[in-house]
Amino acid sequence: MRIILLGKPGGGKGTQAKMLTERLGIPQISTGDILREAVKHQTPLGIEAKKFMDAGLLVPDCLIKDLIKERLSQEDTKDGFIFDGFPRNLAQARDLEQISGDLGFSIDKVVYIDVPTEKIVRRLSGRRTCSCGAVYHVESNPPEEQGVCDACGGTLYQRDDDKEDVIKARIEQYEKQTKPLIDHYDEKGILVTIDGDQPIDDVFSEIMKKIGA
Ligand code: AP5
């Protein structure tokens, strides 16, 4: 199965992608995680991307297209994948259509996780992340021991772009660039809308039901 997760920053895409990966046995492809790794290792991509990420802006489409092509050339994506954070605008959706045509696959479902904007700042400012990819929230999804990852024992940290002024810029980018994708995929008949403003396990159950998995 090939799935796109769509939604506001902090809407729960990463949280649900990890649960889906575990249940469906297909990899999560998070462009945000790939970019953060590149920033950490100061690769040419990371150095270029950091300027945009720190400002809450989208990284240029050409860099993302190359990154996606490279990731989809890897063997573990052959039986399906979950896109988390890609595509982010109509140009990226068209890039994906070209890549999928070249590689001979199509997207099965686009899962739009709908969360009211007023909940977003609270979610993002309380988020704690581990370098292993696990995601927590100090109130709604705390680790067993404060500041320590349940999965790997690593130290949790707050993402640089989870500061209030950057969150505001990210929400603006979402409204201008990403939101039009809802209509784009609805017109293609592959969009399902999920109420993201309910407990994490309930969001997951609704997704599983609506994608028919
Ligand atoms: P990216 O990493 O993709 O960030 P995002 O889209 O802003 O999404 P987040 O990771 O912030 O949130 P999420 O929806 O995954 O929510 P989560 O599950 O963590 O992108 C970062 C930057 O990279 C971008 O700004 C851009 O610069 C660049 N970038 C990335 N992809 C790009 C692309 N394709 N093109 C160009 N640039 C790109 O949940 C958030 C919190 O809420 C957590 O604490 C979680 O525990 C909690 N939570 C989750 N679900 C619930 C629930 N149901 N109830 C209560 N709390 C919940």
Side-chain angles (χ1 to χ4, degrees):
M1 192 166 229
R2 295 172 179 88
I3 302 169
I4 292 172
L5 295 182
L6 192 62
K8 293 188 183 99
K13 301 180 296 295
T15 300
Q16 297 299 326
K18 283 185 181 57
M19 296 167 83
L20 287 165
T21 287
E22 220 164 273
R23 182 68 68 86
L24 302 176
I26 50 176
Q28 169 192 14
I29 302 181
S30 160
T31 41
D33 286 350
I34 295 170
L35 291 168
R36 277 184 288 280
E37 271 300 295
V39 170
K40 192 168 134 193
H41 293 104
Q42 299 197 349
T43 66
L45 168 66
I47 291 165
E48 182 61 17
K50 187 173 178 349
K51 299 180 265 190
F52 297 93
M53 296 171 81
D54 285 350
L57 301 174
L58 294 187
V59 173
D61 297 335
C62 55
L63 298 178
I64 301 295
K65 187 179 183 185
D66 289 345
L67 176 165
I68 290 293
K69 277 189 351 201
E70 206 282 318
R71 184 66 185 89
L72 290 179
S73 71
Q74 294 171 18
E75 194 57 33
D76 67 329
T77 63
K78 295 288 176 267
D79 294 331
F81 50 77
I82 300 151
F83 276 140
D84 162 14
F86 173 84
R88 241 359 197 260
N89 56 26
L90 287 166
Q92 291 186 14
R94 282 191 284 270
D95 286 341
L96 175 59
E97 276 146 31
Q98 193 209 326
I99 295 168
S100 60
D102 291 347
L103 296 179
F105 70 79
S106 56
I107 297 296
D108 298 297
K109 291 281 179 214
V110 177
V111 176
Y112 166 48
I113 305 175
D114 187 17
V115 176
T117 304
E118 60 270 21
K119 300 277 172 91
I120 293 300
V121 176
R122 192 179 185 138
R123 281 202 186 182
L124 289 180
S125 49
R127 172 164 58 186
R128 297 294 179 268
T129 306
C130 180
S131 57
C132 78
V135 177
Y136 302 88
H137 191 277
V138 290
E139 290 161 4
S140 65
N141 184 25
E144 277 172 27
E145 189 185 336
Q146 194 189 338
V148 179
C149 178
D150 294 346
C152 75
T155 304
L156 303 182
Y157 64 92
Q158 187 170 24
R159 264 170 51 177
D160 286 342
D161 59 350
D162 280 350
K163 310 274 154 60
E164 221 165 306
D165 55 331
V166 187
I167 292 172
K168 198 166 158 262
R170 288 162 63 200
I171 294 172
E172 275 171 21
Q173 288 284 292
Y174 170 82
E175 292 292 334
K176 278 195 206 137
Q177 302 225 39
T178 311
K179 203 172 164 190
L181 292 177
I182 298 171
D183 284 345
H184 177 77
Y185 287 115
D186 197 22
E187 281 160 18
K188 289 183 180 296
I190 54 173
L191 186 88
V192 294
T193 299
I194 308 293
D195 175 9
D197 189 15
Q198 49 180 340
I200 290 171
D201 287 340
D202 295 349
V203 176
F204 183 65
S205 301
E206 191 179 334
I207 293 175
M208 291 299 283
K209 200 166 134 199
K210 289 195 172 161
I211 64 174

